[in-house]
Structures are given as structure tokens and as C-alpha cells.
Amino acid sequence: MIEDLFYFRNKIFAYISTIACKIKMHVWGIEYGKKIVFRGSTLFYKGPNSSIRIGNNCAFNSSSRYNFRGINHRCILQTGEKWFNKNWR
């Protein structure tokens, strides 16, 4: 019973995090594929005239619930230089 509640809580957390990160990616102009999941808040920064593309079936774990380093280190996706292109698959 308790395990089911934790499972449900984690699913809701991932769902809300994914929606929030998709909104941030839309604002930054970041392209992404299908079935991506974010667990926790990921930071995005895209430099001028650069691009970021995230492929299908990617998972980003920024929360300490899923990644022990998430306590101190969130996922950060950024490009800092002009004309820099980064693809994650």
C-alpha cells in the first residue's frame, strides 16, 4: 500500500516536471522528440544562433529521488557559443 503511494507520487512528480520543462524548452526554442521524461527541474540556456535537439526516449533526472547527485547538481543543458549545435539522443 505504501509502495503504491510512493509510486503514484513519483509518477505525478515526473508528469508535472515534464510539463514544466517542455514549456521552458518551448520558450528557449529547444527541439525535442517523443517520450521524453524530466524528473525534477532542468535548467536550459541556448546561446544566440545555436541549437539544442533532444531525441526520443530521453530521461533527465534532476531530483534527489532519482539521482543522488540531484541533491547538489541539477541537469543543465546549455550552449554558450554562437553557432553551436548540440544533439542528445
Side-chain angles (χ1 to χ4, degrees), residues 10-11 53 75 82:
N10 290 341
K11 284 289 193 184
R53 291 187 193 129
C75 292
K82 290 183 178 181

Side-chain angles (χ1 to χ4, degrees), residues 8-89:
F8 183 70
R9 180 194 67 179
N10 290 341
K11 284 289 193 184
I12 295 294
F13 178 72
Y15 181 76
I16 292 170
S17 297
T18 300
I19 290 172
C21 287
K22 284 182 176 181
I23 291 169
K24 288 194 277 186
M25 287 189 298
H26 180 73
V27 169
W28 280 104
I30 297 171
E31 299 174 25
Y32 57 91
K34 298 176 183 177
K35 297 184 181 179
I36 62 169
V37 176
F38 290 89
R39 296 177 184 104
S41 179
T42 298
L43 301 175
F44 300 100
Y45 176 76
K46 188 175 73 109
N49 300 317
S50 62
S51 68
I52 298 175
R53 291 187 193 129
I54 302 171
N56 297 329
N57 301 314
C58 292
F60 295 89
N61 298 319
S62 292
S63 171
S64 60
R65 292 179 185 160
Y66 304 96
N67 172 11
F68 292 117
R69 290 190 171 223
I71 296 170
N72 296 322
H73 305 284
R74 292 190 281 179
C75 292
I76 300 171
L77 303 179
Q78 79 176 44
T79 61
E81 300 293 327
K82 290 183 178 181
W83 307 108
F84 184 81
N85 298 307
K86 186 65 184 167
N87 297 312
W88 279 276
R89 296 183 191 151

